Amino acid sequence: MSNNINANVLKNFIIKTIGAEKLTQNQAQKVGVDANKYAEANVDENAYLDLDEIISNSDLYEQFATMYVEEQDKETEANAEKEKEEEAKVKDKGESKA
């Protein structure tokens, strides 16, 4: 499923996650990117990977896509919980009037 995420959506997520358009090795460690996968993707041996390098590397793409899906699931869960709380408040108000 996570391979079906639009590249532009994933790029925006990566920028939001790392706070930049370039991923350094330290940033990669902080967000949980496998160090070996980072090294494999860094074919030009710069001090960073740009977004296109991340997206074109299937392993890194998959790692960030998985992070994206997990964040979306958390947001969905949080929204569902909030909706339940709102429904409970409305129900409590309705019962108190009766």
Side-chain angles (χ1 to χ4, degrees):
M1 176 182 160
S2 55
N3 274 333
N4 297 330
I5 297 170
N6 179 290
N8 288 327
V9 171
L10 193 58
K11 283 181 181 181
N12 289 333
F13 172 75
I14 292 168
I15 291 169
K16 178 182 159 196
T17 301
I18 64 175
E21 292 188 14
K22 297 177 186 205
L23 178 67
T24 65
Q25 191 163 7
N26 286 341
Q27 289 170 316
Q29 286 179 322
K30 288 179 185 176
V31 297
V33 172
D34 184 283
N36 293 328
K37 301 301 180 191
Y38 178 91
E40 288 172 15
N42 196 4
V43 291
D44 56 7
E45 298 180 7
N46 286 343
Y48 60 85
L49 295 175
D50 65 27
L51 290 174
D52 290 331
E53 289 174 308
I54 295 168
I55 297 298
S56 66
N57 181 283
S58 62
D59 290 328
L60 292 181
Y61 185 100
E62 182 66 29
Q63 284 189 341
F64 277 104
T66 300
M67 286 181 220
Y68 175 80
V69 169
E70 288 171 355
E71 184 173 293
Q72 293 301 306
D73 289 347
K74 287 178 189 175
E75 287 178 13
T76 300
E77 234 175 77
N79 288 340
E81 187 64 33
K82 190 174 182 179
E83 191 173 306
K84 282 182 184 179
E85 290 173 8
E86 292 293 325
E87 288 174 3
K89 286 179 186 178
V90 170
K91 183 178 177 183
D92 288 344
K93 283 184 180 178
E95 289 175 358
S96 65
K97 288 182 180 179

